[in-house]
């Protein structure tokens, strides 16, 4: 039979900082970090795996943000040039940025490429262009995701 435990707080009997299921430690915590069991016996940092900033926005027709996390503002800097201003800054400029563009919902846009540039702790720039184009162009679906340490 299955049992259900309902509670608001779990308090350990000692100063242990590890949650163990059976004989396998699955979560470890300290004052500044929490890890979870990954593959084999490897531990993965939960904080390092979280996206710290992301934004999805429209670059064509009426420019605007669709949804975001940890973004103060989004600036249209002209054709295919945007600045994402981060609400809670990154700790340094060595964060990882992932970006993508697409033709959502316009299926007639050409293939293109995008890249982030000018990493600052409080902002990042995105540029978009058609493949083979000599100048930047706007796309209808733009995405930027940042991983790294928050300040």
């Amino acid at each position: 039979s299955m049992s259900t435990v309902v509670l608001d707080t779990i308090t350990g009997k000692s100063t242990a900082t590890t949650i163990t299921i059976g004989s396998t430690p699955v979560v470890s915590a300290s004052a500044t970090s929490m890890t979870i069991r990954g593959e084999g016996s490897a531990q993965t940092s939960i904080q390092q795996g979280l996206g710290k900033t992301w934004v999805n926005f429209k670059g064509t027709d009426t420019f605007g943000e669709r949804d975001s996390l940890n973004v103060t503002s989004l600036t249209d800097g002209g054709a295919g040039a945007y600045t994402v201003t981060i609400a809670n800054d990154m700790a340094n400029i060595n964060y990882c940025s992932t970006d993508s563009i697409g033709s959502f919902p316009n299926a007639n846009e050409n293939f293109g490429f995008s890249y982030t540039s000018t990493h600052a702790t409080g902002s990042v720039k995105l540029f978009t262009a058609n493949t083979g184009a000599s100048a930047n162009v706007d796309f209808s679906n733009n995405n930027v995701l940042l991983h790294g340490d928050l300040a």
Side-chain angles (χ1 to χ4, degrees):
S1 74
M2 187 182 298
S3 298
T4 301
V5 176
V6 179
L7 47 90
D8 291 322
T9 304
I10 298 174
T11 303
K13 292 171 59 176
S14 67
T15 58
T17 58
T18 302
I19 297 174
T20 302
I21 298 176
S23 60
T24 305
V26 292
V27 178
S28 298
S30 70
T32 60
S33 175
M34 183 174 283
T35 61
I36 193 162
R37 179 106 178 217
E39 297 77 26
S41 61
Q43 297 288 315
T44 300
S45 168
I46 292 174
Q47 289 81 0
Q48 289 298 305
L50 298 174
K52 302 303 178 18
T53 301
W54 62 262
V55 63
N56 174 308
F57 67 94
K58 185 175 184 181
T60 56
D61 302 325
T62 304
F63 168 78
E65 180 182 310
R66 290 187 180 100
D67 201 358
S68 69
L69 172 72
N70 194 26
V71 171
T72 298
S73 65
L74 185 62
T75 306
D76 187 347
Y82 312 98
T83 299
V84 178
T85 302
I86 302 164
N88 291 319
D89 289 357
M90 303 301 287
N92 57 57
I93 63 169
N94 299 319
Y95 52 85
C96 176
S97 61
T98 305
D99 55 272
S100 66
I101 59 171
S103 56
F104 173 78
N106 303 320
N108 61 346
E109 290 177 2
N110 293 322
F111 290 104
F113 65 92
S114 62
Y115 62 95
T116 54
S117 171
T118 317
H119 284 200
T121 57
S123 65
V124 65
K125 291 188 177 183
L126 173 73
F127 296 96
T128 62
N130 277 344
T131 303
S134 59
N136 290 356
V137 296
D138 291 332
F139 277 78
S140 59
N141 193 36
N142 305 274
N143 303 280
V144 176
L145 168 65
L146 306 181
H147 282 90
D149 296 327
L150 291 175

